[in-house]
Tab-separated table of all heavy atoms in Angstrom:
chain	number	residue	atom	x	y	z
A	135	ASP	N	-3.985	-5.064	7.379
A	135	ASP	CA	-4.956	-5.499	6.368
A	135	ASP	C	-5.853	-4.350	5.909
A	135	ASP	O	-7.045	-4.535	5.659
A	135	ASP	CB	-5.818	-6.659	6.888
A	135	ASP	CG	-4.997	-7.869	7.321
A	135	ASP	OD1	-3.957	-8.134	6.681
A	135	ASP	OD2	-5.384	-8.522	8.307
A	136	GLY	N	-5.285	-3.132	5.846
A	136	GLY	CA	-6.022	-1.977	5.352
A	136	GLY	C	-6.997	-1.361	6.335
A	136	GLY	O	-7.779	-0.483	5.968
A	137	ARG	N	-6.950	-1.826	7.592
A	137	ARG	CA	-7.856	-1.288	8.609
A	137	ARG	C	-7.068	-0.875	9.853
A	137	ARG	O	-5.998	-1.418	10.130
A	137	ARG	CB	-8.918	-2.315	8.984
A	137	ARG	CG	-9.853	-2.640	7.826
A	137	ARG	CD	-10.981	-3.557	8.241
A	137	ARG	NE	-10.448	-4.865	8.591
A	137	ARG	CZ	-11.099	-5.773	9.323
A	137	ARG	NH1	-12.306	-5.526	9.781
A	137	ARG	NH2	-10.553	-6.932	9.598
A	138	ILE	N	-7.630	0.040	10.611
A	138	ILE	CA	-6.990	0.545	11.826
A	138	ILE	C	-6.987	-0.544	12.890
A	138	ILE	O	-8.037	-1.064	13.265
A	138	ILE	CB	-7.735	1.789	12.348
A	138	ILE	CG1	-7.680	2.917	11.312
A	138	ILE	CG2	-7.171	2.236	13.693
A	138	ILE	CD1	-8.665	4.044	11.573
A	139	VAL	N	-5.796	-0.862	13.390
A	139	VAL	CA	-5.676	-1.885	14.421
A	139	VAL	C	-5.171	-1.307	15.746
A	139	VAL	O	-5.350	-1.914	16.795
A	139	VAL	CB	-4.793	-3.068	13.947
A	139	VAL	CG1	-3.328	-2.655	13.865
A	139	VAL	CG2	-4.972	-4.286	14.820
A	140	GLU	N	-4.563	-0.129	15.680
A	140	GLU	CA	-4.062	0.510	16.900
A	140	GLU	C	-4.219	2.024	16.792
A	140	GLU	O	-3.919	2.606	15.756
A	140	GLU	CB	-2.592	0.167	17.107
A	140	GLU	CG	-1.996	0.719	18.373
A	140	GLU	CD	-0.533	0.351	18.549
A	140	GLU	OE1	-0.005	-0.484	17.795
A	140	GLU	OE2	0.084	0.931	19.452
A	141	VAL	N	-4.698	2.636	17.869
A	141	VAL	CA	-4.888	4.084	17.929
A	141	VAL	C	-4.204	4.592	19.192
A	141	VAL	O	-4.426	4.053	20.279
A	141	VAL	CB	-6.388	4.467	17.976
A	141	VAL	CG1	-6.563	5.976	18.032
A	141	VAL	CG2	-7.136	3.871	16.802
A	142	ARG	N	-3.385	5.613	19.026
A	142	ARG	CA	-2.760	6.313	20.161
A	142	ARG	C	-3.180	7.768	20.045
A	142	ARG	O	-2.887	8.425	19.043
A	142	ARG	CB	-1.234	6.204	20.114
A	142	ARG	CG	-0.711	4.804	20.221
A	142	ARG	CD	-0.675	4.355	21.648
A	142	ARG	NE	-0.164	2.991	21.728
A	142	ARG	CZ	0.090	2.404	22.863
A	142	ARG	NH1	-0.090	3.052	23.994
A	142	ARG	NH2	0.523	1.168	22.886
A	143	SER	N	-3.861	8.289	21.058
A	143	SER	CA	-4.480	9.604	20.967
A	143	SER	C	-4.127	10.473	22.169
A	143	SER	O	-4.133	9.998	23.306
A	143	SER	CB	-6.001	9.414	20.905
A	143	SER	OG	-6.674	10.617	21.130
A	144	VAL	N	-3.848	11.752	21.879
A	144	VAL	CA	-3.618	12.742	22.929
A	144	VAL	C	-4.424	13.991	22.562
A	144	VAL	O	-4.235	14.561	21.489
A	144	VAL	CB	-2.125	13.112	23.063
A	144	VAL	CG1	-1.936	14.181	24.126
A	144	VAL	CG2	-1.290	11.883	23.371
A	145	ILE	N	-5.311	14.399	23.459
A	145	ILE	CA	-6.139	15.586	23.252
A	145	ILE	C	-5.517	16.757	24.006
A	145	ILE	O	-5.050	16.599	25.142
A	145	ILE	CB	-7.587	15.334	23.718
A	145	ILE	CG1	-8.234	14.269	22.812
A	145	ILE	CG2	-8.406	16.622	23.708
A	145	ILE	CD1	-9.608	13.836	23.243
A	146	ASP	N	-5.523	17.916	23.384
A	146	ASP	CA	-4.939	19.122	23.982
A	146	ASP	C	-5.891	19.699	25.029
A	146	ASP	O	-6.596	20.672	24.804
A	146	ASP	CB	-4.634	20.146	22.884
A	146	ASP	CG	-3.875	21.350	23.400
A	146	ASP	OD1	-3.626	21.445	24.624
A	146	ASP	OD2	-3.533	22.212	22.569
A	147	LYS	N	-5.882	19.075	26.196
A	147	LYS	CA	-6.745	19.499	27.306
A	147	LYS	C	-6.382	20.897	27.781
A	147	LYS	O	-7.261	21.679	28.163
A	147	LYS	CB	-6.635	18.487	28.447
A	147	LYS	CG	-7.534	18.771	29.620
A	147	LYS	CD	-7.401	17.682	30.678
A	147	LYS	CE	-8.260	17.982	31.897
A	147	LYS	NZ	-8.112	16.930	32.926
A	148	ALA	N	-5.102	21.252	27.737
A	148	ALA	CA	-4.664	22.583	28.186
A	148	ALA	C	-5.324	23.690	27.366
A	148	ALA	O	-5.640	24.759	27.903
A	148	ALA	CB	-3.152	22.695	28.115
A	149	ALA	N	-5.550	23.449	26.078
A	149	ALA	CA	-6.219	24.448	25.240
A	149	ALA	C	-7.651	24.687	25.717
A	149	ALA	O	-8.126	25.828	25.737
A	149	ALA	CB	-6.210	24.016	23.782
A	150	ILE	N	-8.320	23.629	26.110
A	150	ILE	CA	-9.693	23.764	26.609
A	150	ILE	C	-9.690	24.487	27.953
A	150	ILE	O	-10.491	25.397	28.183
A	150	ILE	CB	-10.364	22.381	26.729
A	150	ILE	CG1	-10.410	21.701	25.361
A	150	ILE	CG2	-11.768	22.513	27.322
A	150	ILE	CD1	-10.795	20.232	25.413
A	151	GLU	N	-8.770	24.112	28.828
A	151	GLU	CA	-8.672	24.763	30.140
A	151	GLU	C	-8.439	26.265	29.979
A	151	GLU	O	-9.052	27.068	30.690
A	151	GLU	CB	-7.538	24.141	30.955
A	151	GLU	CG	-7.832	22.732	31.400
A	151	GLU	CD	-6.635	22.034	32.012
A	151	GLU	OE1	-5.482	22.300	31.594
A	151	GLU	OE2	-6.866	21.188	32.901
Side-chain angles (χ1 to χ4, degrees):
D135 302 325
R137 295 185 293 161
I138 298 165
V139 71
E140 183 180 350
V141 180
R142 297 279 180 173
S143 166
V144 178
I145 294 174
D146 187 357
K147 183 178 178 181
I150 300 168
E151 290 171 327

